[in-house]
């Protein structure tokens, strides 16, 4: 027999520390006292992602959401809401006035996310086209084929002010318009599903969870610009996404939603999949097109831009997966509706892959204008293990770091650029006090050096030289002239590299130099790594007054570097220590330290 | 079943399927177990979870309960995630569902109509598709 009401008490770490346990037992007690035990179940849940206003209590089925609940409120919640059926108004969540989400029916929904791109992910079976159709799937295509002209379609995109979500943020309507206006016998539509940024997987999840949205969007583009062939260039490292796409394409073809004479409109459009082969540079549009043509993935100078002269020299619209996923919603609900979300310079939402030192890692889709603090500390649940937030890195290897003082910045293209970072494709990596920013720059630069195609000297030579300098710094062999040299090389790479990879590879270095100059100084002048990360610069040591001589560390040490008698403080032999950190992890008495 | 559709046929199909898909209306007959099978879910063990459900539900159960798959919901830290829809109860998203928890879900939630502690997570956002119906 089901219960009449369910009371959910948030048991996330934030709420736990503010007495969720007491609230939970208090509510159970009150249910007993007030005679509603049979009708109500009180449950403790995982984190609701609203930590700033915790403790949280949610009542189902009416979806009443109470914030900042105290243990003493238990009596009133049961007496008023459960017994009398009257929600406790003072505890109910109220949206802020400057809420960047659109004004919609029941939008006092507390969750800060607004799932537009991810509207179907987790809600449909991607292998079942009927489920996609049921949720307004292909309704936008109907409109585009039978009720709108190509100019109408581009007009809606212009109203929507959608900007490319691959990182560059170029107005999508403009790109499509160039291709539409270009005169050619053949035109192409391409989806960039190469997603090379480390730590970014928004596109992968969209393709795995909602492949039809991309197919529908590309068909709409074909109609708008006058193309009948499309390509999806997807990295081979995404086998599940590839499989889902293939199934979706077959099902769409069976239903006549892809292929010849779609829905009897006389319009033909079909799509082919092309696989990448592990090169980050093939996410750059001209290199990607070269790869589809069967050539080595190397970028070309622009102009001419792909929208005028792209694949095989023909006008080509190439957009990122996330940009495509927005299209059906814009056409279906109208550009004005879309422009009602977000900020003036950046309309709509953005999906971020929130990873790193964060409690609730995952995909987060927020309307532009949401602040970093809300994403990291509310939705993300803050930093685990009680560590201090240090910086958040956005934009992958092309981006920069953002520090604590800028956490209240509303996210949009302009603001992130002003802070020395970029929106990028949506990677967001959170770092805490144990992360060394010099090491982070080295990692990203190393990535770019590996992935550089080698065509132009600034990137090929500059990148490698920068990496060598950073390596020396992290090993304690750096000097002050290294900082000057790095800055010069960075500026040269930014100005003279042929494509975005080389132009933006210096960004992490420049950004960390600006905001974390003291860490570089510590590495260079003091030969010290404050975060305790750079192996050459750290030493592990045992605190004699805390060590009880249990010998666990000595047994764990893979290099046999720890010695000592039983019950006597142990010692680390620095000639043998490989600084793996096993001893620190194993010690239950906090006796092993790093400096 | 599969043939090239006209515009009218597509619209008719959409209407039919819309009723099936509506989640707010839990008074439909069949219960649903929807397992998230995105890459993050699979990495966290969603395949074992799915198999546990299929193994543990017997012939009678499967008359009333349908087991489905879906993509990643974005609650990657809580994978494997499973959404349980039982008529008469609110739709609930469970996270960190290992095989033991899956068995508990069958016993307590599906058969016993009781929610399980410590595993419930929240839907990350409103559903714009369902909500725009009201426009």
């Amino acid at each position: 027999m089901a219960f009449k009401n369910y009371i959910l008490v948030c048991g996330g770490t934030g709420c736990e520390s503010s007495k969720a346990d007491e609230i939970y037992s208090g509510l159970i007690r009150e249910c007993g006292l007030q005679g509603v035990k049979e009708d109500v179940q009180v449950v403790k849940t995982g984190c609701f992602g609203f930590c700033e206003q915790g403790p949280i209590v949610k009542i189902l089925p009416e979806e009443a959401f109470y914030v900042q609940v105290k243990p003493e409120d238990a009596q009133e919640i049961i007496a008023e809401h459960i017994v009398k059926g009257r929600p406790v108004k003072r505890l109910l969540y109220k949206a802020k006035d400057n809420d960047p989400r659109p004004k919609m029916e029941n939008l006092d929904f507390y969750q800060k996310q607004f799932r537009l791109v991810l509207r179907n992910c987790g809600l449909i079976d991607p292998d079942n086209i009927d489920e996609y159709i049921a949720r307004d799937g292909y309704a936008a295509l109907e409109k585009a084929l039978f009720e709108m002209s190509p100019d109408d379609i581009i007009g809606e995109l212009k109203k929507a002010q959608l900007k490319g979500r691959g990182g560059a943020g170029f107005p999508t309507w403009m790109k499509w318009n160039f291709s539409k206006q270009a005169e050619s016998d053949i035109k192409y539509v391409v989806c960039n599903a190469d997603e090379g940024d480390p730590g970014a997987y928004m596109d992968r999840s969209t393709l795995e969870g909602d492949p039809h949205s991309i197919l529908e969007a590309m068909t709409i583009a074909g109609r708008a610009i006058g193309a009948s062939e499309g390509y999806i260039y997807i990295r081979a490292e995404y086998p599940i996404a590839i499989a889902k796409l293939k199934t979706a394409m077959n099902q769409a073809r069976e239903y006549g939603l892809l292929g010849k004479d779609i829905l009897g409109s006389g319009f033909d459009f079909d799509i082919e999949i092309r696989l990448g082969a592990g090169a980050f540079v093939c996410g750059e549009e001209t290199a990607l097109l070269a790869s589809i043509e069967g050539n080595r993935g190397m970028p070309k100078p622009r102009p001419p831009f792909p929208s005028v002269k792209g694949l095989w020299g023909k006008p080509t619209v190439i957009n990122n997966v996330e940009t495509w996923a927005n299209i059906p919603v814009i056409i279906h609900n109208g550009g004005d509706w879309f422009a009602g979300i977000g900020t003036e310079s950046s309309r709509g939402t953005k999906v971020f892959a929130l990873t790193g030192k964060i409690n609730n890692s995952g995909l987060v889709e927020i309307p532009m204008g949401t602040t970093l603090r809300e994403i990291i500390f509310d939705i993300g649940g803050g930093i685990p293990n009680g560590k201090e937030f240090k910086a958040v890195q956005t934009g992958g290897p092309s981006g920069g770091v953002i520090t604590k003082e800028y956490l209240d910045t509303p996210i949009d293209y302009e603001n992130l650029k002003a802070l020395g970072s970029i929106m990028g494709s949506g990677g967001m990596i959170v770092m805490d006090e144990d992360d060394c920013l010099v090491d982070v720059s080295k990692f990203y630069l190393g990535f770019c050096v590996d992935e550089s195609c080698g065509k132009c000297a600034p990137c090929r030579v500059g990148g490698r030289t920068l990496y060598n300098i950073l390596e020396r710094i992290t090993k304690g062999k750096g000097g002050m002239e290294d900082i000057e040299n790095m800055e010069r090389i960075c500026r040269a790479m930014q100005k003279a590299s042929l494509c975005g990879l080389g132009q933006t590879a210096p960004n992490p270095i420049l950004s960390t130099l600006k905001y974390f100059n003291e860490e570089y100084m510590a590495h260079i002048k003091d030969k010290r790594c404050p975060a305790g990360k750079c192996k050459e610069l750290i030493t592990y040591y045992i605190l004699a007054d805390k060590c009880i001589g249990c010998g666990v560390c000595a047994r764990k040490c893979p290099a046999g570097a720890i010695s000592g008698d039983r019950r006597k403080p142990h010692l680390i032999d620095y000639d043998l220590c490989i600084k793996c950190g096993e001893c620190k992890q194993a010690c239950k008495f906090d006796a092993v330290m790093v400096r | 079943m599969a043939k090239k559709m006209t515009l009218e046929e597509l619209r008719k199909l959409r209407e039919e399927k819309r009723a099936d898909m509506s989640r707010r209306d839990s008074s439909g007959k069949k219960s649903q177990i929807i397992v998230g099978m995105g890459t993050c879910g699979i990495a966290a063990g969603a395949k074992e979870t799915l198999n546990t459900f299929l193994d543990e539900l017997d012939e009678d159960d499967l008359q009333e309960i349908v087991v489905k798959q879906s993509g990643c919901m974005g609650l990657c830290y809580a994978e494997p995630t499973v959404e349980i829809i039982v008529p008469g109860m609110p739709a609930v998203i469970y996270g960190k569902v290992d095989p033991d928890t899956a068995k508990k879900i069958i016993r307590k939630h599906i058969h016993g109509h009781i929610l399980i502690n410590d595993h419930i997570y929240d839907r990350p956002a409103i559903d714009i598709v369902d909500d725009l119906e009201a426009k």
Side-chain angles (χ1 to χ4, degrees):
Chain A
M1 198 45 236
F3 292 94
K4 233 176 58 182
N5 284 105
Y6 297 89
I7 303 183
L8 307 182
V9 181
C10 176
T13 18
C15 297
E16 274 284 297
S17 51
S18 334
K19 302 173 188 226
D21 248 342
E22 277 185 53
I23 298 174
Y24 172 69
S25 16
L27 284 164
I28 295 184
R29 200 180 50 239
E30 285 299 325
C31 284
L33 288 175
Q34 301 194 32
V36 289
K37 214 165 57 144
E38 306 296 312
D39 300 322
V40 180
Q41 187 192 4
V42 184
V43 202
K44 204 109 128 343
T45 71
C47 177
F48 275 141
F50 206 65
C51 314
E52 187 217 359
Q53 294 210 40
I56 305 288
V57 171
K58 182 173 175 183
I59 316 240
L60 296 176
E62 52 267 41
E63 306 246 347
F65 194 75
Y66 293 132
V67 298
Q68 294 180 329
V69 177
K70 299 198 187 49
E72 351 11 315
D73 294 326
Q75 197 273 338
E76 193 179 344
I77 293 178
I78 303 297
E80 289 298 312
H81 189 139
I82 301 295
V83 176
K84 295 199 191 132
R86 291 201 297 246
V88 183
K89 286 220 168 73
R90 66 177 174 87
L91 289 174
L92 278 176
Y93 165 73
K94 284 165 218 43
K96 285 197 291 243
D97 283 322
N98 59 345
D99 194 325
R101 291 167 301 168
K103 307 286 166 271
M104 276 165 57
E105 280 260 327
N106 63 345
L107 213 48
D108 253 12
F109 192 78
Y110 50 92
Q111 286 292 25
K112 305 199 167 193
Q113 295 193 52
F114 188 73
R115 296 229 160 173
L116 200 156
V117 169
L118 300 177
R119 60 193 174 278
N120 289 324
C121 292
L123 286 154
I124 63 167
D125 178 357
D127 287 331
N128 185 342
I129 185 174
D130 288 346
E131 298 201 359
Y132 178 71
I133 290 176
R135 290 172 59 82
D136 291 342
Y138 291 104
L141 182 59
E142 286 176 22
K143 249 171 124 174
L145 287 178
F146 296 104
E147 295 167 37
M148 296 169 87
S149 71
D151 278 322
D152 291 333
I153 297 173
I154 295 184
E156 281 309 306
L157 288 191
K158 188 171 178 189
K159 278 193 236 165
Q161 297 170 46
L162 174 68
K163 288 187 179 168
R165 295 290 193 251
F170 187 77
T172 310
W173 76 270
M174 234 187 244
K175 195 184 261 197
W176 289 28
N177 209 23
F178 288 144
S179 289
K180 171 177 175 292
Q181 286 171 339
E183 294 200 6
S184 178
D185 50 342
I186 299 184
K187 298 184 187 175
Y188 295 107
V189 174
V190 175
C191 170
N192 184 343
D194 194 56
E195 192 161 53
D197 279 3
Y201 58 98
M202 307 72 60
D203 294 348
R204 183 193 77 207
S205 286
T206 309
L207 289 167
E208 287 177 359
D210 195 8
H212 283 281
S213 62
I214 308 305
L215 305 179
E216 185 181 359
M218 288 174 74
T219 314
I220 294 175
R223 158 88 172 140
I225 69 167
S228 57
E229 289 174 60
Y231 289 92
I232 298 180
Y233 186 87
I234 180 167
R235 61 189 311 207
E237 294 96 318
Y238 283 172
I240 296 181
I242 295 171
K244 300 288 181 205
L245 273 171
K246 285 190 176 157
T247 307
M249 280 160 60
N250 286 338
Q251 292 181 345
R253 285 195 194 106
E254 275 179 6
Y255 273 8
L257 293 163
L258 199 61
K260 295 223 176 302
D261 193 23
I262 297 179
L263 286 177
S265 64
F267 174 64
D268 303 337
F269 190 80
D270 211 335
I271 301 177
E272 261 184 54
I273 294 182
R274 289 295 164 93
L275 302 186
F280 175 67
V281 72
C282 284
E284 195 280 329
E285 57 183 8
T286 55
L288 190 157
L289 295 177
S291 177
I292 296 183
E293 290 171 4
N295 298 323
R296 190 163 183 268
M298 299 216 285
K300 294 196 181 89
R302 286 157 295 165
F305 289 89
S307 30
V308 173
K309 215 164 170 219
L311 197 54
W312 289 295
K314 308 291 181 186
T316 306
V317 157
I318 168 168
N319 277 127
N320 170 273
V321 170
E322 194 179 331
T323 315
W324 287 121
N326 276 296
I327 301 291
V329 180
I330 292 177
I331 300 298
H332 188 53
N333 300 341
D336 289 326
W337 175 86
F338 186 83
I341 308 166
T343 67
E344 213 176 303
S345 76
S346 313
R347 303 290 186 197
T349 61
K350 182 80 190 75
V351 183
F352 287 100
L354 186 62
T355 56
K357 306 282 177 72
I358 190 98
N359 273 316
N360 303 343
S361 63
L363 291 186
V364 168
E365 183 174 358
I366 41 98
M368 301 277 197
T370 308
T371 67
L372 284 161
R373 193 184 296 279
E374 289 177 289
I375 297 183
I376 297 173
F377 291 97
D378 279 341
I379 303 175
I383 319 289
N385 301 324
K387 299 276 184 177
E388 276 290 311
F389 170 85
K390 195 169 195 182
V392 58
Q393 208 273 351
T394 65
S398 318
V401 292
I402 298 170
T403 53
K404 207 190 281 215
E405 44 251 318
Y406 299 105
L407 277 177
D408 291 306
T409 313
I411 293 188
D412 73 13
Y413 285 98
E414 307 291 311
N415 287 346
L416 289 181
K417 211 160 136 209
L419 289 177
S421 183
I422 60 169
M423 180 87 69
S425 61
M428 192 180 269
I429 304 186
V430 181
M431 297 177 231
D432 70 8
E433 58 199 62
D434 290 335
D435 288 302
C436 170
L437 273 301
V438 184
D439 182 64
V440 164
S441 317
K442 195 178 88 160
F443 164 75
Y444 277 124
L445 186 65
F447 178 79
C448 290
V449 167
D450 272 344
E451 297 290 339
S452 165
C453 76
K455 185 168 176 179
C456 71
C459 176
R460 187 181 72 241
V461 180
R464 170 52 66 181
T465 314
L466 279 175
Y467 186 79
N468 290 344
I469 297 178
L470 274 176
E471 261 230 293
R472 279 189 298 108
I473 294 179
T474 56
K475 290 196 167 142
K477 302 203 176 93
M480 284 309 292
E481 69 283 1
D482 285 328
I483 304 282
E484 228 186 277
N485 285 338
M486 280 206 296
E487 283 176 345
R488 254 187 324 113
I489 299 175
C490 286
R491 279 196 296 275
M493 282 177 75
Q494 282 180 323
K495 287 195 194 156
S497 298
L498 187 54
C499 81
L501 197 160
Q503 286 158 6
T504 59
N507 286 357
I509 300 180
L510 291 173
S511 177
T512 49
L513 270 175
K514 179 170 170 196
Y515 292 109
F516 291 96
N517 200 272
E518 66 278 6
E519 292 211 9
Y520 283 90
M521 293 302 122
H523 282 72
I524 292 177
K525 291 192 179 150
D526 308 332
K527 312 295 180 205
R528 192 176 59 90
C529 175
K533 196 77 186 298
C534 300
K535 286 226 155 79
E536 308 281 330
L537 301 184
I538 55 175
T539 8
Y540 283 84
Y541 61 98
I542 298 178
L543 288 170
D545 48 357
K546 280 206 167 157
C547 174
I548 63 156
C550 65
V552 171
C553 58
R555 284 196 289 279
K556 278 273 176 178
C557 176
I562 307 184
S563 58
D565 297 323
R566 218 153 20 130
R567 309 262 176 83
K568 294 267 171 65
H570 280 39
L571 270 176
I572 299 179
D573 182 345
Y574 296 128
D575 286 331
L576 296 171
C577 174
I578 59 167
K579 301 177 196 176
C580 62
E582 287 289 320
C583 50
K584 186 161 195 284
Q585 271 202 333
C587 179
K588 297 213 184 340
F589 302 95
D590 288 332
V592 183
M593 307 296 281
V594 185
R595 64 164 159 249
Chain B
M1 174 65 207
K3 61 164 271 264
K4 293 207 178 177
M5 291 197 291
T6 62
L7 184 58
E8 292 70 35
E9 286 168 335
L10 175 61
R11 288 189 172 152
K12 199 159 137 275
L13 179 63
R14 187 175 296 120
E15 281 308 308
E16 279 171 39
K17 295 295 169 181
R18 211 196 280 281
D20 285 351
M21 289 290 300
S22 178
R23 259 166 190 57
R24 297 267 170 85
D25 176 36
S26 289
S27 61
K29 288 224 180 67
K30 272 191 184 263
S31 301
Q32 298 181 51
I33 298 177
I34 307 171
V35 184
M37 293 284 277
T39 300
C40 48
I42 295 179
K47 278 201 176 146
E48 288 75 33
T49 305
L50 179 64
N51 288 337
T52 307
F53 278 118
L54 293 173
D55 289 337
E56 294 288 317
L57 292 171
D58 59 30
E59 285 292 315
D60 294 324
D61 286 326
L62 288 170
Q63 296 288 342
E64 282 302 309
I65 304 171
V66 63
V67 180
K68 292 166 40 169
Q69 299 182 26
S70 83
C72 159
M73 202 182 302
L75 292 174
C76 311
Y77 65 100
E79 290 287 351
T81 52
V82 176
E83 184 171 5
I84 306 287
I85 301 181
V86 169
M89 289 176 76
V92 170
I93 297 175
Y94 285 107
K96 305 212 167 101
V97 183
D98 54 8
D100 279 331
T101 313
K103 292 185 192 154
K104 243 196 213 167
I105 289 177
I106 296 177
R107 215 178 53 239
K108 290 179 111 181
H109 187 137
I110 297 185
H111 290 148
H113 295 255
I114 298 178
L115 300 182
I116 298 177
N117 269 337
D118 296 325
H119 282 276
I120 298 181
Y121 288 87
D122 214 2
R123 194 166 286 295
I126 60 165
D127 187 345
I128 64 166
V129 174
D130 271 351
D131 206 83
L132 288 167
E133 299 265 298
K135 74 171 169 166

